[in-house]
Amino acid sequence: MQLRRFVAFLVTTNPERATTFYRDVLGFKFVMDDGFALVFDAHGTMIRIGKAQEFTPAQNTVAGWEVDDIREAASDLTQRGIAFDRHPRMAADERGVHTFPTGDKVAWFKDPDGNVLSISQHYYQYGGE
């Protein structure tokens, strides 16, 4: 057996607001609303955003995207209305990008339901299939 493709699962209590955010702000292709979940194509990765009446978001990162230039990506997302989270024990630059001793860079933000998302630029790049 080989695990083939990764699928991300998130939750929303407001499907219309989630559609606007993931399609119009993040730029992912809306595929369908299957009645149970909103389905997006995030540049080859499926995101299923389940519909719920009530939801308490996790306090940690639930989904993230690697970018080639995190400062450019953070600036672009800021122009689209994204506000990046600041963490008191971690230094961040003016864009909200945190740099770790390894050289990895991460910026966190939330979707309208409070799901913690991130963009990152990692020092170590791996070659997946």
Side-chain angles (χ1 to χ4, degrees):
M1 175 192 78
Q2 181 181 15
L3 302 177
R4 296 184 49 97
R5 289 187 183 96
F6 179 78
V7 178
F9 294 90
L10 301 170
V11 178
T12 186
T13 59
N14 187 324
E16 294 78 21
R17 186 176 61 190
T19 298
T20 299
F21 181 79
Y22 284 91
R23 181 192 60 211
D24 301 340
V25 177
L26 296 186
F28 299 142
K29 180 182 176 191
F30 177 74
V31 176
M32 73 173 137
D33 178 341
D34 68 10
F36 299 101
L38 306 170
V39 181
F40 292 87
D41 176 352
H43 309 292
T45 299
M46 180 190 301
I47 299 176
R48 292 185 55 86
I49 304 175
K51 299 175 186 180
Q53 293 297 315
E54 297 179 24
F55 170 64
T56 302
Q59 298 301 301
N60 57 295
T61 309
V62 296
W65 294 271
E66 280 192 305
V67 295
D68 293 329
D69 183 333
I70 195 166
R71 287 183 171 79
E72 179 182 316
S75 292
D76 181 50
L77 288 171
T78 298
Q79 290 175 357
R80 295 175 187 220
I82 298 289
F84 288 96
D85 297 343
R86 307 268 179 177
H87 299 280
R89 294 188 195 114
M90 301 167 63
D93 69 13
E94 69 282 356
R95 293 175 187 89
V97 176
H98 302 266
T99 301
F100 293 88
T102 60
D104 292 345
K105 296 174 175 39
V106 180
W108 292 276
F109 59 101
K110 292 182 179 76
D111 76 0
D113 286 282
N115 291 301
V116 180
L117 309 174
S118 70
I119 55 172
S120 59
Q121 184 177 348
H122 297 276
Y123 175 77
Y124 171 75
Q125 298 293 317
Y126 64 91
E129 287 186 19

